[in-house]
């Protein structure tokens, strides 16, 4: 099993500001609260139990608006697993983001070998990968360009930001497969896509337009091979305008570089066919708020039309670049549940892309709370397959059957997500193959996607491991 994006160190790192008092990354945390997204989802023990063989462990410095949110403070107040003082110090700016990211890395590496059956192997390149071992093998990445800020929680001098990035490109340094250019809070690199449903804070509202000069310099530094190993750019969390500008920049300056989107869902539509219900300008927040109708998927499923997900144009661009798309296990991202309102930067709002439409004829009402357990799990897994097969179907329009080979799992476990019930944590990785073999053909048939029965297992194996390994052999040498 491969995972393109998970956070095995994140929650135990927040346990204490003192490294000596933190639980190791093999510890599975249970907060004993109704809000289950706080519980461990990808501790190393859970990954091992699920027979996770190769993972990308994503380093992340918690942003100040997150640290100061009521949700995180509630967790700290009700559980010993998160230190309240540590969160306060992050909120108050007493910890720099680069300091937090490097602390996260040191915390992960301190769990490299902590006892019998509790050890993992860091990979400097795919040449280090051993297919014969059942040991967890780990590649590193970073989520958010803010992790490279030069002045605590501010960008500081641009050259300092770039130096922090170059550090990871040198021999002997912790090598990164990719960096997600931005995250959920405003940054100095580009406009981000709105993605915060749970926490209300102006810092989560997108502002500005597209790539900033620092963002372009950062991309150039990351993708260049003149200064060390190439670091790929993950487009997740970038606004649609930022993504467009990145595609153009990459086409002109680095046409040989694949594009990756590591923990995604899809909108199910073209950018020009958003299911817009209502538009409201919010001057005080410098944003435009858009309400959506739901986008119909296969059988009884829907897509999430938020721009944090991939439009059909994104899928085409990534496929044509030879890139890789990781699919999230997050219910909301996959389209389950009602669609919340989305905020857009006023500077990026293009009226032609937001034409109000008619309410679609929805699927017949389904009270899924009354479904038997197995039927409900099948229902949720159809959402995952609906996203997966939409990526394939759109990709096939430009690269044919090869589209199957450019999709993998990017769970986003421990990224404070609410996973589909069948796969609440990495401990359930091992059952994913059989469940997808069972459910995928049903959804494929409903989408008029021809998958011969003898090819079903091959396609599922590609999704959960083989596609990613082939990609890494070419791009993580």
């Amino acid at each position: 099993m491969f995972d393109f994006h998970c956070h095995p160190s994140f929650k135990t790192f927040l346990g204490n500001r003192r490294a000596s008092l933190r639980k190791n990354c093999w510890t599975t945390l249970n907060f004993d609260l109704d809000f289950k997204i706080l519980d461990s989802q990808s501790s190393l023990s859970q990954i091992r139990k699920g027979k996770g063989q190769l993972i990308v462990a994503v380093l992340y410095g918690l942003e100040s608006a997150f640290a100061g949110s009521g949700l995180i403070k509630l967790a700290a107040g009700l559980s010993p697993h998160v230190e309240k003082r540590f969160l306060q110090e992050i909120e108050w700016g007493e910890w720099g983001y680069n300091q937090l990211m490097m602390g996260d890395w040191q915390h992960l590496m301190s769990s490299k070998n902590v006892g019998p059956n509790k050890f993992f192997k860091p990979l400097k390149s795919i040449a280090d990968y051993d297919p014969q071992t059942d040991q967890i093998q780990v590649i590193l990445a970073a989520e958010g360009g803010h992790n490279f800020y030069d002045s605590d929680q501010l960008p500081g001098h641009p050259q300092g930001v770039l130096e922090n990035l170059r550090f990871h490109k040198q021999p002997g340094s912790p090598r990164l497969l990719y960096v997600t250019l931005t995250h959920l809070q405003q940054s100095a690199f580009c406009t981000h896509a709105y993605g915060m449903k749970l926490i209300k804070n102006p810092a989560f509202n997108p502002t500005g337009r597209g790539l900033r000069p620092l963002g372009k310099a950062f991309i150039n530094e990351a993708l260049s091979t003149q200064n060390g190993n190439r670091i790929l750019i993950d487009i997740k969390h970038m606004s649609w305008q930022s993504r467009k500008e990145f595609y153009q920049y990459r086409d002109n300056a680095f046409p040989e570089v694949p594009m990756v989107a590591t923990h995604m869902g899809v909108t199910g539509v073209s950018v020009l066919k958003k299911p817009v219900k209502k538009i409201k300008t919010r001057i005080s927040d410098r944003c435009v708020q858009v309400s959506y109708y739901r986008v119909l998927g296969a059988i009884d499923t829907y897509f999430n039309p938020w721009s944090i997900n991939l439009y059909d144009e994104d899928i085409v661009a990534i496929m044509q670049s030879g890139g890789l798309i990781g699919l999230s296990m997050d219910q909301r991202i996959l389209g389950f549940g009602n669609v919340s309102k989305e905020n857009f930067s006023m500077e990026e709002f293009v009226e032609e892309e937001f034409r109000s439409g008619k309410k679609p004829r929805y699927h017949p009402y389904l009270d899924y709370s009354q479904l038997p357990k197995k039927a409900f799990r099948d229902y949720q897994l159809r959402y995952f397959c609906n996203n997966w097969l939409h990526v394939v179907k759109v990709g096939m329009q430009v690269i044919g059957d090869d589209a199957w080979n450019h999709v993998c799992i990017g769970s986003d476990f421990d990224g404070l997500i609410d996973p589909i019930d069948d796969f609440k944590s990495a401990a359930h990785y091992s059952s994913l193959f059989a469940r997808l073999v069972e459910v995928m053909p049903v959804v494929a048939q409903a989408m008029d996607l021809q998958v011969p029965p003898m090819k079903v297992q091959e396609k599922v194996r590609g999704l959960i491991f083989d596609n990613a390994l082939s990609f890494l052999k070419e791009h993580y040498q």
Side-chain angles (χ1 to χ4, degrees):
M1 177 70 197
F2 171 82
D3 196 332
F4 207 9
H5 191 99
C6 63
H7 299 267
S9 56
F10 173 60
K11 287 176 178 171
T12 49
F13 175 71
L14 293 179
N16 204 286
R17 63 194 187 280
R18 298 181 181 87
S20 61
L21 297 180
R22 293 182 188 128
K23 297 179 174 69
N24 65 54
C25 298
W26 295 87
T27 306
T28 299
L29 303 177
N30 184 342
F31 280 75
D32 292 320
L33 301 174
D34 290 337
F35 213 49
K36 295 300 181 183
I37 68 171
L38 297 172
D39 293 344
S40 289
Q41 297 166 345
S42 62
S43 70
L44 293 174
S45 294
Q46 289 172 309
I47 293 170
R48 183 175 181 84
K49 183 177 180 180
K51 299 181 180 177
Q53 189 176 10
L54 180 58
I55 67 164
V56 179
V58 182
L59 307 176
Y60 166 63
L62 184 69
E63 291 141 298
S64 58
F66 260 128
S69 71
L71 170 65
I72 302 298
K73 288 181 175 178
L74 175 66
L78 297 177
S79 173
H81 298 318
V82 178
E83 186 191 21
K84 187 175 182 179
R85 178 66 184 182
F86 192 13
L87 294 177
Q88 289 174 333
E89 290 181 359
I90 296 172
E91 179 188 4
W92 298 337
E94 295 178 19
W95 290 75
Y97 289 140
N98 189 252
Q99 179 186 10
L100 287 169
M101 183 188 74
M102 294 307 294
D104 193 13
W105 168 67
Q106 291 164 354
H107 175 54
L108 177 65
M109 297 310 293
S110 71
S111 298
K112 185 171 67 172
N113 188 345
V114 297
N117 296 320
K118 290 186 177 181
F119 49 88
F120 67 84
K121 178 181 180 182
L123 303 186
K124 287 289 188 180
S125 76
I126 199 60
D128 296 334
Y129 170 69
D130 180 2
Q132 303 302 320
T133 182
D134 62 356
Q135 186 178 6
I136 301 170
Q137 299 177 71
V138 176
I139 294 170
L140 298 174
E143 183 157 31
H146 69 283
N147 291 296
F148 302 89
Y149 280 1
D150 184 45
S151 180
D152 296 326
Q153 295 185 6
L154 296 173
H157 196 282
Q159 283 305 314
V161 174
L162 300 182
E163 282 297 329
N164 286 337
L165 176 65
R166 289 188 199 109
F167 167 74
H168 294 275
K169 305 191 74 172
Q170 305 309 313
S173 298
R175 183 182 178 185
L176 304 175
L177 172 63
Y178 63 79
V179 172
T180 312
L181 187 63
T182 190
H183 197 226
L184 294 169
Q185 186 171 319
Q186 296 161 6
S187 80
F189 298 93
C190 69
T191 302
H192 68 283
Y194 187 68
M196 181 45 64
K197 176 182 176 181
L198 297 173
I199 304 169
K200 303 301 180 185
N201 187 312
F204 296 126
N205 288 333
T207 58
R209 179 177 175 84
L211 295 176
R212 315 286 195 266
L214 181 58
K216 292 178 181 178
F218 190 92
I219 291 167
N220 191 72
E221 202 71 38
L223 297 184
S224 174
T225 55
Q226 301 301 310
N227 54 7
N229 294 311
R230 171 171 287 146
I231 299 174
L232 300 176
I233 296 295
D234 174 20
I235 68 165
K236 177 64 186 270
H237 296 295
M238 295 168 69
S239 71
W240 165 240
Q241 179 64 33
S242 297
R243 300 198 300 263
K244 282 195 301 182
E245 293 180 15
F246 172 63
Y247 299 157
Q248 184 175 11
Y249 185 81
R250 173 258 175 199
D251 289 348
N252 292 334
F254 299 96
E256 77 284 2
V257 174
M259 294 186 290
V260 295
T262 66
H263 49 302
M264 305 302 304
V266 299
T267 64
V269 296
S270 161
V271 70
L272 297 176
K273 294 184 178 180
K274 300 183 186 76
V276 175
K277 181 193 298 184
K278 185 178 179 181
I279 299 171
K280 179 181 179 181
T281 301
R282 299 178 53 152
I283 301 296
S284 61
D285 292 328
R286 295 176 56 203
C287 67
V288 178
Q289 189 175 76
V290 177
S291 302
Y292 296 109
Y293 296 112
R294 302 182 79 184
V295 179
L296 272 72
I299 308 176
D300 48 9
T301 65
Y302 295 89
F303 295 100
N304 182 345
W306 275 27
S307 65
I308 196 171
N309 280 348
L310 298 175
Y311 294 114
D312 290 353
E313 290 85 349
D314 291 303
I315 297 170
V316 168
I318 295 166
M319 291 283 180
Q320 289 179 327
S321 78
L324 190 63
I325 296 170
L327 294 176
S328 172
M329 288 292 180
D330 189 356
Q331 294 184 25
R332 177 179 64 94
I333 289 296
L334 296 175
F336 189 79
N338 293 324
V339 183
S340 300
K341 299 172 184 177
E342 179 181 7
N343 292 340
F344 288 85
S345 167
M346 293 181 68
E347 293 92 331
E348 288 192 346
F349 185 78
V350 179
E351 196 168 331
E352 294 75 31
E353 294 181 358
F354 292 86
R355 299 188 184 279
S356 297
K358 294 182 180 180
K359 181 179 179 179
R361 181 174 294 179
Y362 290 155
H363 297 304
Y365 175 73
L366 173 65
D367 186 357
Y368 54 80
S369 66
Q370 300 301 313
L371 291 175
K373 191 173 183 179
K374 172 64 163 59
F376 177 68
R377 289 185 168 181
D378 285 353
Y379 174 52
Q380 283 200 327
L381 194 56
R382 285 196 290 273
Y383 274 82
F384 177 87
C385 291
N386 183 54
N387 280 257
W388 172 23
L389 298 179
H390 183 84
V391 169
V392 172
K393 196 168 184 178
V394 172
M396 289 177 73
Q397 298 172 16
V398 289
I399 63 172
D401 282 347
D402 189 42
W404 286 99
N405 303 322
H406 294 272
V407 197
C408 68
I409 303 293
S411 70
D412 200 18
F413 281 145
D414 278 323
L416 294 178
I417 68 166
D418 185 11
I420 57 177
D421 278 27
D422 237 1
F423 301 98
K424 284 295 188 184
S425 75
H428 300 99
Y429 279 154
S430 56
S431 60
L432 184 59
F433 177 82
R435 294 287 287 124
L436 288 175
V437 166
E438 176 187 0
V439 175
M440 184 269 274
V442 179
V443 181
Q445 184 178 22
M447 296 177 69
D448 294 323
L449 190 61
Q450 302 302 315
V451 186
M454 72 274 302
K455 291 286 188 179
V456 171
Q457 292 193 17
E458 173 190 314
K459 303 303 185 189
V460 175
R461 274 195 299 271
L463 176 80
I464 66 175
F465 192 80
D466 292 348
N467 296 344
L469 184 60
S470 296
F471 181 84
L472 293 170
K473 285 179 177 178
E474 186 171 355
H475 301 293
Y476 193 64
Q477 298 176 353

